[in-house]
């Protein structure tokens, strides 16, 4: 489970390679049936979304993966 926070007023409008729900500014993403297990040979999951900003378009913050904080590069 990936979680991140969008700035106030931003909304996820579409998401790919995951199932996203949004509650206020918090977005929760869960895997789909075909990408739920990452192995040493396939240790990367690609996902993305389109959003609709109100005001300035600022990057999401506070990423966690399965409850562990993540850095974004």
């Amino acid at each position: 489970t990936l979680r991140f926070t969008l700035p106030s007023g931003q909304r996820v409008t579409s998401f790919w390679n995951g199932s996203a729900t949004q509650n206020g500014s918090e977005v929760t993403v869960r895997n789909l049936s075909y990408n739920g297990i990452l192995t040493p040979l396939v240790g990367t999951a690609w996902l993305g979304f389109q959003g609709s900003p109100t005001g300035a378009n600022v990057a999401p913050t506070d990423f966690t993966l399965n409850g562990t904080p993540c850095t974004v590069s």
Side-chain angles (χ1 to χ4, degrees):
T1 301
L2 172 69
R3 287 191 169 90
F4 58 91
T5 303
L6 289 174
S8 180
Q10 290 190 5
R11 304 287 307 161
V12 171
T13 57
S14 64
F15 205 93
W16 55 93
N17 289 334
S19 174
T21 57
Q22 185 170 354
N23 183 9
S25 293
E26 183 177 289
V27 178
T28 301
V29 182
R30 291 191 168 76
N31 63 282
L32 297 175
S33 61
Y34 60 83
N35 64 358
I37 297 174
L38 300 178
T39 66
L41 296 176
V42 185
T44 302
W46 296 97
L47 49 91
F49 71 95
Q50 291 179 314
S52 175
T54 299
N57 188 12
V58 181
T61 60
D62 304 322
F63 285 85
T64 64
L65 181 61
N66 296 331
T68 301
C70 301
T71 57
V72 179
S73 57

Short mmCIF file of all heavy atoms in Angstrom, two decimals:
data_model
loop_
_atom_site.label_atom_id
_atom_site.label_comp_id
_atom_site.label_asym_id
_atom_site.label_seq_id
_atom_site.Cartn_x
_atom_site.Cartn_y
_atom_site.Cartn_z
N THR A 1 0.84 -1.18 0.00
CA THR A 1 0.00 0.00 0.00
C THR A 1 0.88 1.24 0.00
O THR A 1 1.74 1.39 0.86
CB THR A 1 -0.92 0.01 1.24
OG1 THR A 1 -1.72 -1.16 1.22
CG2 THR A 1 -1.81 1.23 1.24
N LEU A 2 0.67 2.08 -0.98
CA LEU A 2 1.38 3.36 -1.10
C LEU A 2 0.43 4.45 -0.65
O LEU A 2 -0.74 4.46 -1.04
CB LEU A 2 1.80 3.59 -2.54
CG LEU A 2 2.39 4.97 -2.87
CD1 LEU A 2 3.75 5.14 -2.20
CD2 LEU A 2 2.48 5.16 -4.38
N ARG A 3 0.93 5.35 0.18
CA ARG A 3 0.13 6.51 0.59
C ARG A 3 0.95 7.76 0.36
O ARG A 3 2.17 7.77 0.52
CB ARG A 3 -0.25 6.40 2.06
CG ARG A 3 -1.31 5.35 2.34
CD ARG A 3 -1.87 5.46 3.76
NE ARG A 3 -3.03 4.64 3.92
CZ ARG A 3 -3.01 3.36 4.31
NH1 ARG A 3 -1.86 2.78 4.59
NH2 ARG A 3 -4.12 2.68 4.43
N PHE A 4 0.25 8.83 -0.04
CA PHE A 4 0.90 10.13 -0.15
C PHE A 4 -0.15 11.22 0.03
O PHE A 4 -1.36 10.95 0.01
CB PHE A 4 1.64 10.28 -1.49
CG PHE A 4 0.80 10.12 -2.72
CD1 PHE A 4 0.19 11.21 -3.32
CD2 PHE A 4 0.65 8.87 -3.31
CE1 PHE A 4 -0.57 11.06 -4.47
CE2 PHE A 4 -0.09 8.72 -4.47
CZ PHE A 4 -0.71 9.82 -5.05
N THR A 5 0.33 12.43 0.22
CA THR A 5 -0.54 13.57 0.48
C THR A 5 -0.44 14.56 -0.67
O THR A 5 0.66 14.95 -1.07
CB THR A 5 -0.15 14.27 1.80
OG1 THR A 5 -0.20 13.31 2.85
CG2 THR A 5 -1.07 15.42 2.11
N LEU A 6 -1.60 14.95 -1.19
CA LEU A 6 -1.66 15.99 -2.21
C LEU A 6 -1.94 17.33 -1.52
O LEU A 6 -2.63 17.37 -0.50
CB LEU A 6 -2.77 15.71 -3.21
CG LEU A 6 -2.55 14.55 -4.17
CD1 LEU A 6 -3.81 14.30 -4.99
CD2 LEU A 6 -1.38 14.84 -5.09
N PRO A 7 -1.44 18.42 -2.08
CA PRO A 7 -1.77 19.73 -1.53
C PRO A 7 -3.28 19.97 -1.59
O PRO A 7 -3.98 19.41 -2.44
CB PRO A 7 -1.03 20.70 -2.45
CG PRO A 7 0.10 19.89 -3.01
CD PRO A 7 -0.46 18.51 -3.16
N SER A 8 -3.76 20.80 -0.71
CA SER A 8 -5.19 21.12 -0.65
C SER A 8 -5.70 21.55 -2.02
O SER A 8 -5.07 22.36 -2.70
CB SER A 8 -5.43 22.22 0.38
OG SER A 8 -6.79 22.52 0.45
N GLY A 9 -6.82 21.01 -2.43
CA GLY A 9 -7.44 21.36 -3.69
C GLY A 9 -7.07 20.47 -4.86
O GLY A 9 -7.71 20.53 -5.90
N GLN A 10 -6.03 19.64 -4.72
CA GLN A 10 -5.66 18.75 -5.82
C GLN A 10 -6.42 17.44 -5.70
O GLN A 10 -6.66 16.94 -4.60
CB GLN A 10 -4.15 18.48 -5.82
CG GLN A 10 -3.35 19.69 -6.22
CD GLN A 10 -1.88 19.35 -6.46
OE1 GLN A 10 -1.47 18.20 -6.41
NE2 GLN A 10 -1.09 20.38 -6.71
N ARG A 11 -6.82 16.90 -6.85
CA ARG A 11 -7.56 15.64 -6.90
C ARG A 11 -6.96 14.71 -7.93
O ARG A 11 -6.52 15.15 -8.99
CB ARG A 11 -9.03 15.89 -7.30
CG ARG A 11 -9.81 16.86 -6.46
CD ARG A 11 -10.22 16.38 -5.11
NE ARG A 11 -10.93 15.11 -5.17
CZ ARG A 11 -11.07 14.32 -4.11
NH1 ARG A 11 -10.56 14.64 -2.96
NH2 ARG A 11 -11.73 13.20 -4.21
N VAL A 12 -6.94 13.41 -7.63
CA VAL A 12 -6.56 12.39 -8.61
C VAL A 12 -7.76 12.20 -9.53
O VAL A 12 -8.88 11.96 -9.07
CB VAL A 12 -6.20 11.06 -7.91
CG1 VAL A 12 -6.02 9.96 -8.93
CG2 VAL A 12 -4.95 11.23 -7.06
N THR A 13 -7.52 12.31 -10.85
CA THR A 13 -8.61 12.11 -11.80
C THR A 13 -8.51 10.77 -12.52
O THR A 13 -9.52 10.24 -12.97
CB THR A 13 -8.67 13.26 -12.83
OG1 THR A 13 -7.41 13.34 -13.50
CG2 THR A 13 -8.99 14.58 -12.16
N SER A 14 -7.30 10.23 -12.66
CA SER A 14 -7.13 8.89 -13.22
C SER A 14 -5.81 8.32 -12.69
O SER A 14 -4.90 9.06 -12.34
CB SER A 14 -7.15 8.90 -14.75
OG SER A 14 -6.06 9.64 -15.25
N PHE A 15 -5.73 6.99 -12.63
CA PHE A 15 -4.57 6.32 -12.08
C PHE A 15 -4.31 5.06 -12.90
O PHE A 15 -5.26 4.41 -13.34
CB PHE A 15 -4.83 5.93 -10.61
CG PHE A 15 -3.57 5.79 -9.81
CD1 PHE A 15 -3.07 6.85 -9.10
CD2 PHE A 15 -2.88 4.60 -9.80
CE1 PHE A 15 -1.90 6.73 -8.38
CE2 PHE A 15 -1.71 4.47 -9.09
CZ PHE A 15 -1.22 5.54 -8.37
N TRP A 16 -3.04 4.70 -13.10
CA TRP A 16 -2.74 3.47 -13.82
C TRP A 16 -1.76 2.62 -13.04
O TRP A 16 -0.95 3.12 -12.29
CB TRP A 16 -2.27 3.71 -15.25
CG TRP A 16 -1.09 4.61 -15.43
CD1 TRP A 16 0.22 4.25 -15.51
CD2 TRP A 16 -1.10 6.04 -15.55
NE1 TRP A 16 1.03 5.36 -15.67
CE2 TRP A 16 0.23 6.46 -15.71
CE3 TRP A 16 -2.11 7.01 -15.54
CZ2 TRP A 16 0.57 7.81 -15.84
CZ3 TRP A 16 -1.76 8.32 -15.69
CH2 TRP A 16 -0.44 8.70 -15.84
N ASN A 17 -1.90 1.32 -13.21
CA ASN A 17 -1.11 0.28 -12.54
C ASN A 17 -1.33 0.25 -11.03
O ASN A 17 -0.46 -0.16 -10.27
CB ASN A 17 0.38 0.39 -12.87
CG ASN A 17 0.67 -0.01 -14.29
OD1 ASN A 17 -0.08 -0.78 -14.88
ND2 ASN A 17 1.73 0.50 -14.85
N GLY A 18 -2.50 0.66 -10.59
CA GLY A 18 -2.87 0.61 -9.19
C GLY A 18 -4.31 1.06 -9.03
O GLY A 18 -4.92 1.60 -9.95
N SER A 19 -4.86 0.80 -7.87
CA SER A 19 -6.22 1.23 -7.54
C SER A 19 -6.10 2.32 -6.49
O SER A 19 -5.65 2.06 -5.37
CB SER A 19 -7.01 0.04 -7.00
OG SER A 19 -8.28 0.47 -6.56
N ALA A 20 -6.48 3.55 -6.84
CA ALA A 20 -6.31 4.70 -5.96
C ALA A 20 -7.64 5.17 -5.40
O ALA A 20 -8.65 5.21 -6.10
CB ALA A 20 -5.64 5.84 -6.70
N THR A 21 -7.62 5.51 -4.11
CA THR A 21 -8.75 6.18 -3.48
C THR A 21 -8.21 7.44 -2.82
O THR A 21 -7.04 7.49 -2.42
CB THR A 21 -9.44 5.29 -2.42
OG1 THR A 21 -8.47 4.88 -1.44
CG2 THR A 21 -10.07 4.06 -3.05
N GLN A 22 -9.06 8.44 -2.71
CA GLN A 22 -8.63 9.70 -2.11
C GLN A 22 -9.64 10.12 -1.06
O GLN A 22 -10.84 10.11 -1.29
CB GLN A 22 -8.50 10.78 -3.18
CG GLN A 22 -7.95 12.08 -2.64
CD GLN A 22 -7.59 13.07 -3.73
OE1 GLN A 22 -7.65 12.77 -4.92
NE2 GLN A 22 -7.22 14.27 -3.33
N ASN A 23 -9.11 10.48 0.12
CA ASN A 23 -9.92 10.96 1.22
C ASN A 23 -9.33 12.31 1.64
O ASN A 23 -8.29 12.34 2.29
CB ASN A 23 -9.92 9.97 2.37
CG ASN A 23 -10.82 10.41 3.51
OD1 ASN A 23 -11.57 11.37 3.39
ND2 ASN A 23 -10.74 9.70 4.62
N GLY A 24 -9.96 13.39 1.22
CA GLY A 24 -9.38 14.72 1.45
C GLY A 24 -8.10 14.84 0.64
O GLY A 24 -8.11 14.65 -0.57
N SER A 25 -7.00 15.11 1.32
CA SER A 25 -5.71 15.23 0.64
C SER A 25 -4.93 13.92 0.58
O SER A 25 -3.95 13.82 -0.13
CB SER A 25 -4.85 16.29 1.34
OG SER A 25 -5.43 17.57 1.19
N GLU A 26 -5.36 12.91 1.37
CA GLU A 26 -4.61 11.65 1.44
C GLU A 26 -5.05 10.70 0.33
O GLU A 26 -6.24 10.42 0.16
CB GLU A 26 -4.80 10.97 2.78
CG GLU A 26 -3.96 9.70 2.87
CD GLU A 26 -4.05 9.02 4.23
OE1 GLU A 26 -3.50 9.58 5.18
OE2 GLU A 26 -4.67 7.95 4.29
N VAL A 27 -4.05 10.19 -0.41
CA VAL A 27 -4.29 9.23 -1.48
C VAL A 27 -3.73 7.88 -1.04
O VAL A 27 -2.60 7.80 -0.55
CB VAL A 27 -3.63 9.68 -2.80
CG1 VAL A 27 -3.84 8.65 -3.90
CG2 VAL A 27 -4.17 11.04 -3.23
N THR A 28 -4.50 6.83 -1.21
CA THR A 28 -4.08 5.46 -0.90
C THR A 28 -4.13 4.66 -2.19
O THR A 28 -5.14 4.67 -2.90
CB THR A 28 -5.01 4.82 0.14
OG1 THR A 28 -4.98 5.62 1.33
CG2 THR A 28 -4.57 3.40 0.47
N VAL A 29 -3.02 3.99 -2.50
CA VAL A 29 -2.91 3.19 -3.72
C VAL A 29 -2.65 1.74 -3.34
O VAL A 29 -1.74 1.46 -2.55
CB VAL A 29 -1.77 3.70 -4.63
CG1 VAL A 29 -1.71 2.89 -5.91
CG2 VAL A 29 -1.94 5.18 -4.92
N ARG A 30 -3.42 0.86 -3.91
CA ARG A 30 -3.22 -0.58 -3.70
C ARG A 30 -2.91 -1.23 -5.04
O ARG A 30 -3.30 -0.74 -6.09
CB ARG A 30 -4.46 -1.19 -3.05
CG ARG A 30 -4.63 -0.70 -1.62
CD ARG A 30 -5.69 -1.47 -0.86
NE ARG A 30 -5.64 -1.17 0.56
CZ ARG A 30 -6.09 -0.05 1.13
NH1 ARG A 30 -6.61 0.90 0.38
NH2 ARG A 30 -6.00 0.14 2.42
N ASN A 31 -2.21 -2.36 -4.96
CA ASN A 31 -1.82 -3.06 -6.18
C ASN A 31 -3.03 -3.63 -6.92
O ASN A 31 -4.10 -3.77 -6.35
CB ASN A 31 -0.84 -4.19 -5.85
CG ASN A 31 -1.48 -5.24 -4.96
OD1 ASN A 31 -1.61 -5.03 -3.76
ND2 ASN A 31 -1.87 -6.37 -5.54
N LEU A 32 -2.79 -3.96 -8.17
CA LEU A 32 -3.78 -4.68 -8.96
C LEU A 32 -3.41 -6.16 -8.95
O LEU A 32 -2.36 -6.55 -8.45
CB LEU A 32 -3.78 -4.14 -10.40
CG LEU A 32 -4.19 -2.67 -10.50
CD1 LEU A 32 -4.05 -2.18 -11.94
CD2 LEU A 32 -5.61 -2.45 -10.00
N SER A 33 -4.25 -7.01 -9.50
CA SER A 33 -4.02 -8.46 -9.43
C SER A 33 -2.72 -8.88 -10.08
O SER A 33 -2.10 -9.86 -9.66
CB SER A 33 -5.19 -9.20 -10.09
OG SER A 33 -5.29 -8.84 -11.46
N TYR A 34 -2.24 -8.15 -11.08
CA TYR A 34 -1.05 -8.57 -11.82
C TYR A 34 0.26 -7.97 -11.30
O TYR A 34 1.32 -8.30 -11.80
CB TYR A 34 -1.20 -8.24 -13.31
CG TYR A 34 -1.39 -6.76 -13.60
CD1 TYR A 34 -0.30 -5.90 -13.69
CD2 TYR A 34 -2.66 -6.24 -13.78
CE1 TYR A 34 -0.47 -4.56 -13.95
CE2 TYR A 34 -2.84 -4.90 -14.05
CZ TYR A 34 -1.74 -4.06 -14.14
OH TYR A 34 -1.93 -2.74 -14.40
N ASN A 35 0.22 -7.09 -10.30
CA ASN A 35 1.47 -6.47 -9.85
C ASN A 35 1.60 -6.40 -8.33
O ASN A 35 2.19 -5.48 -7.80
CB ASN A 35 1.64 -5.08 -10.47
CG ASN A 35 0.58 -4.09 -10.02
OD1 ASN A 35 -0.33 -4.42 -9.26
ND2 ASN A 35 0.70 -2.87 -10.48
N GLY A 36 1.07 -7.39 -7.65
CA GLY A 36 1.07 -7.36 -6.19
C GLY A 36 2.31 -7.89 -5.52
O GLY A 36 2.50 -7.71 -4.32
N ILE A 37 3.19 -8.56 -6.26
CA ILE A 37 4.40 -9.14 -5.66
C ILE A 37 5.61 -8.64 -6.43
O ILE A 37 5.68 -8.78 -7.65
CB ILE A 37 4.35 -10.67 -5.69
CG1 ILE A 37 3.18 -11.18 -4.85
CG2 ILE A 37 5.67 -11.26 -5.18
CD1 ILE A 37 2.97 -12.67 -4.92
N LEU A 38 6.56 -8.06 -5.70
CA LEU A 38 7.82 -7.64 -6.31
C LEU A 38 8.90 -8.63 -5.88
O LEU A 38 9.02 -8.93 -4.70
CB LEU A 38 8.19 -6.22 -5.85
CG LEU A 38 7.19 -5.13 -6.21
CD1 LEU A 38 7.66 -3.79 -5.67
CD2 LEU A 38 6.98 -5.06 -7.70
N THR A 39 9.65 -9.15 -6.82
CA THR A 39 10.71 -10.10 -6.54
C THR A 39 12.06 -9.44 -6.81
O THR A 39 12.11 -8.37 -7.40
CB THR A 39 10.56 -11.34 -7.43
OG1 THR A 39 10.78 -10.95 -8.79
CG2 THR A 39 9.19 -11.99 -7.29
N PRO A 40 13.17 -10.09 -6.42
CA PRO A 40 14.48 -9.50 -6.74
C PRO A 40 14.69 -9.26 -8.23
O PRO A 40 15.38 -8.33 -8.62
CB PRO A 40 15.47 -10.53 -6.20
CG PRO A 40 14.73 -11.19 -5.08
CD PRO A 40 13.30 -11.25 -5.56
N LEU A 41 14.10 -10.10 -9.08
CA LEU A 41 14.26 -9.92 -10.52
C LEU A 41 13.35 -8.82 -11.06
O LEU A 41 13.66 -8.19 -12.07
CB LEU A 41 13.97 -11.22 -11.26
CG LEU A 41 14.95 -12.36 -10.96
CD1 LEU A 41 14.50 -13.63 -11.67
CD2 LEU A 41 16.35 -11.98 -11.37
N VAL A 42 12.22 -8.62 -10.43
CA VAL A 42 11.27 -7.59 -10.85
C VAL A 42 10.95 -6.74 -9.62
O VAL A 42 9.90 -6.85 -9.03
CB VAL A 42 9.98 -8.22 -11.42
CG1 VAL A 42 9.06 -7.14 -11.97
CG2 VAL A 42 10.29 -9.24 -12.49
N GLY A 43 11.89 -5.91 -9.22
CA GLY A 43 11.75 -5.14 -7.98
C GLY A 43 11.22 -3.75 -8.16
O GLY A 43 11.35 -2.91 -7.29
N THR A 44 10.59 -3.49 -9.30
CA THR A 44 10.08 -2.16 -9.58
C THR A 44 8.64 -2.23 -10.02
O THR A 44 8.27 -3.11 -10.80
CB THR A 44 10.91 -1.49 -10.70
OG1 THR A 44 12.27 -1.44 -10.32
CG2 THR A 44 10.43 -0.09 -10.98
N ALA A 45 7.84 -1.34 -9.52
CA ALA A 45 6.46 -1.20 -9.99
C ALA A 45 6.30 0.22 -10.53
O ALA A 45 6.64 1.18 -9.85
CB ALA A 45 5.48 -1.44 -8.85
N TRP A 46 5.84 0.33 -11.76
CA TRP A 46 5.62 1.63 -12.37
C TRP A 46 4.16 2.00 -12.23
O TRP A 46 3.28 1.21 -12.55
CB TRP A 46 6.01 1.59 -13.85
CG TRP A 46 7.47 1.34 -14.03
CD1 TRP A 46 8.07 0.15 -14.27
CD2 TRP A 46 8.53 2.29 -13.92
NE1 TRP A 46 9.43 0.30 -14.34
CE2 TRP A 46 9.74 1.62 -14.14
CE3 TRP A 46 8.56 3.66 -13.68
CZ2 TRP A 46 10.97 2.26 -14.11
CZ3 TRP A 46 9.79 4.30 -13.66
CH2 TRP A 46 10.98 3.60 -13.87
N LEU A 47 3.91 3.19 -11.75
CA LEU A 47 2.54 3.66 -11.64
C LEU A 47 2.52 5.15 -11.86
O LEU A 47 3.55 5.81 -11.86
CB LEU A 47 1.93 3.31 -10.27
CG LEU A 47 2.76 3.66 -9.04
CD1 LEU A 47 2.43 5.03 -8.54
CD2 LEU A 47 2.55 2.60 -7.99
N GLY A 48 1.35 5.66 -12.08
CA GLY A 48 1.24 7.09 -12.30
C GLY A 48 -0.20 7.54 -12.22
O GLY A 48 -1.12 6.74 -12.15
N PHE A 49 -0.36 8.86 -12.21
CA PHE A 49 -1.70 9.40 -12.16
C PHE A 49 -1.77 10.75 -12.84
O PHE A 49 -0.76 11.41 -13.05
CB PHE A 49 -2.20 9.50 -10.72
CG PHE A 49 -1.55 10.58 -9.89
CD1 PHE A 49 -2.12 11.84 -9.77
CD2 PHE A 49 -0.36 10.33 -9.22
CE1 PHE A 49 -1.52 12.83 -9.01
CE2 PHE A 49 0.24 11.31 -8.45
CZ PHE A 49 -0.35 12.57 -8.34
N GLN A 50 -2.99 11.11 -13.19
CA GLN A 50 -3.28 12.45 -13.65
C GLN A 50 -4.14 13.09 -12.59
O GLN A 50 -4.94 12.42 -11.92
CB GLN A 50 -4.02 12.43 -14.98
CG GLN A 50 -3.15 11.95 -16.12
CD GLN A 50 -3.91 11.93 -17.43
OE1 GLN A 50 -5.02 11.46 -17.50
NE2 GLN A 50 -3.27 12.46 -18.46
N GLY A 51 -3.95 14.39 -12.43
CA GLY A 51 -4.71 15.08 -11.40
C GLY A 51 -5.28 16.39 -11.89
O GLY A 51 -5.02 16.83 -13.01
N SER A 52 -6.05 16.99 -11.02
CA SER A 52 -6.68 18.27 -11.31
C SER A 52 -6.34 19.22 -10.17
O SER A 52 -6.84 19.05 -9.05
CB SER A 52 -8.19 18.08 -11.41
OG SER A 52 -8.82 19.33 -11.56
N PRO A 53 -5.46 20.20 -10.43
CA PRO A 53 -5.08 21.12 -9.35
C PRO A 53 -6.02 22.33 -9.27
O PRO A 53 -6.61 22.73 -10.26
CB PRO A 53 -3.68 21.57 -9.75
CG PRO A 53 -3.70 21.54 -11.24
CD PRO A 53 -4.61 20.39 -11.60
N THR A 54 -6.13 22.85 -8.08
CA THR A 54 -6.76 24.14 -7.86
C THR A 54 -5.66 25.04 -7.31
O THR A 54 -5.09 24.74 -6.27
CB THR A 54 -7.91 24.04 -6.84
OG1 THR A 54 -8.89 23.15 -7.36
CG2 THR A 54 -8.55 25.39 -6.59
N GLY A 55 -5.33 26.08 -8.01
CA GLY A 55 -4.22 26.94 -7.59
C GLY A 55 -2.91 26.39 -8.11
O GLY A 55 -2.85 25.78 -9.17
N ALA A 56 -1.85 26.57 -7.34
CA ALA A 56 -0.51 26.13 -7.74
C ALA A 56 -0.44 24.61 -7.83
O ALA A 56 -1.04 23.90 -7.02
CB ALA A 56 0.53 26.64 -6.75
N ASN A 57 0.29 24.12 -8.82
CA ASN A 57 0.47 22.68 -8.99
C ASN A 57 1.74 22.28 -8.24
O ASN A 57 2.84 22.39 -8.74
CB ASN A 57 0.58 22.34 -10.48
CG ASN A 57 0.59 20.86 -10.71
OD1 ASN A 57 0.31 20.07 -9.81
ND2 ASN A 57 0.92 20.46 -11.91
N VAL A 58 1.58 21.81 -7.01
CA VAL A 58 2.68 21.46 -6.13
C VAL A 58 2.78 19.94 -6.03
O VAL A 58 1.77 19.24 -6.05
CB VAL A 58 2.46 22.08 -4.72
CG1 VAL A 58 3.59 21.75 -3.79
CG2 VAL A 58 2.28 23.59 -4.85
N ALA A 59 4.00 19.43 -5.94
CA ALA A 59 4.23 17.98 -5.88
C ALA A 59 3.64 17.36 -4.61
O ALA A 59 3.59 18.01 -3.55
CB ALA A 59 5.73 17.70 -5.94
N PRO A 60 3.22 16.09 -4.69
CA PRO A 60 2.75 15.37 -3.50
C PRO A 60 3.86 15.23 -2.46
O PRO A 60 5.05 15.32 -2.79
CB PRO A 60 2.35 13.99 -4.04
CG PRO A 60 2.25 14.14 -5.52
CD PRO A 60 3.15 15.27 -5.89
N THR A 61 3.49 14.96 -1.23
CA THR A 61 4.44 14.81 -0.12
C THR A 61 4.07 13.60 0.73
O THR A 61 3.06 12.95 0.50
CB THR A 61 4.45 16.06 0.77
OG1 THR A 61 3.13 16.24 1.31
CG2 THR A 61 4.87 17.31 0.01
N ASP A 62 4.89 13.33 1.74
CA ASP A 62 4.60 12.34 2.79
C ASP A 62 4.33 10.95 2.24
O ASP A 62 3.35 10.30 2.59
CB ASP A 62 3.42 12.79 3.67
CG ASP A 62 3.65 14.15 4.30
OD1 ASP A 62 4.80 14.42 4.69
OD2 ASP A 62 2.70 14.94 4.38
N PHE A 63 5.21 10.46 1.38
CA PHE A 63 5.05 9.14 0.80
C PHE A 63 5.41 8.06 1.82
O PHE A 63 6.41 8.17 2.53
CB PHE A 63 5.97 8.97 -0.41
CG PHE A 63 5.51 9.70 -1.63
CD1 PHE A 63 5.83 11.04 -1.81
CD2 PHE A 63 4.75 9.06 -2.60
CE1 PHE A 63 5.41 11.72 -2.94
CE2 PHE A 63 4.32 9.73 -3.73
CZ PHE A 63 4.65 11.06 -3.90
N THR A 64 4.58 7.01 1.90
CA THR A 64 4.90 5.82 2.68
C THR A 64 4.57 4.60 1.82
O THR A 64 3.64 4.62 1.02
CB THR A 64 4.12 5.73 4.00
OG1 THR A 64 2.72 5.62 3.74
CG2 THR A 64 4.40 6.93 4.90
N LEU A 65 5.34 3.54 2.00
CA LEU A 65 5.08 2.26 1.35
C LEU A 65 4.96 1.22 2.44
O LEU A 65 5.91 1.00 3.20
CB LEU A 65 6.19 1.90 0.37
CG LEU A 65 6.01 0.60 -0.39
CD1 LEU A 65 4.74 0.64 -1.25
CD2 LEU A 65 7.22 0.31 -1.26
N ASN A 66 3.79 0.63 2.56
CA ASN A 66 3.49 -0.32 3.64
C ASN A 66 3.83 0.26 5.00
O ASN A 66 4.36 -0.42 5.88
CB ASN A 66 4.20 -1.65 3.41
CG ASN A 66 3.71 -2.34 2.16
OD1 ASN A 66 2.56 -2.18 1.76
ND2 ASN A 66 4.57 -3.09 1.51
N GLY A 67 3.58 1.56 5.17
CA GLY A 67 3.78 2.23 6.45
C GLY A 67 5.18 2.77 6.69
O GLY A 67 5.42 3.46 7.67
N THR A 68 6.13 2.50 5.79
CA THR A 68 7.50 2.97 5.94
C THR A 68 7.70 4.22 5.10
O THR A 68 7.40 4.21 3.90
CB THR A 68 8.50 1.89 5.49
OG1 THR A 68 8.28 0.71 6.28
CG2 THR A 68 9.93 2.35 5.66
N PRO A 69 8.21 5.31 5.70
CA PRO A 69 8.43 6.54 4.93
C PRO A 69 9.37 6.30 3.75
O PRO A 69 10.32 5.51 3.84
CB PRO A 69 9.07 7.49 5.94
CG PRO A 69 8.61 6.98 7.27
CD PRO A 69 8.54 5.49 7.11
N CYS A 70 9.10 6.97 2.63
CA CYS A 70 9.90 6.85 1.40
C CYS A 70 10.48 8.20 1.02
O CYS A 70 9.87 9.23 1.28
CB CYS A 70 9.03 6.39 0.24
SG CYS A 70 8.21 4.81 0.47
N THR A 71 11.60 8.16 0.36
CA THR A 71 12.15 9.37 -0.24
C THR A 71 11.75 9.38 -1.71
O THR A 71 11.58 8.33 -2.33
CB THR A 71 13.69 9.42 -0.12
OG1 THR A 71 14.24 8.27 -0.72
CG2 THR A 71 14.11 9.48 1.34
N VAL A 72 11.62 10.55 -2.25
CA VAL A 72 11.24 10.71 -3.65
C VAL A 72 12.38 11.38 -4.37
O VAL A 72 12.92 12.38 -3.90
CB VAL A 72 9.95 11.56 -3.76
CG1 VAL A 72 9.57 11.76 -5.20
CG2 VAL A 72 8.83 10.92 -2.98
N SER A 73 12.76 10.80 -5.51
CA SER A 73 13.85 11.42 -6.27
C SER A 73 13.40 11.79 -7.66
O SER A 73 12.34 11.44 -8.10
CB SER A 73 15.03 10.47 -6.36
OG SER A 73 14.66 9.25 -6.94
#
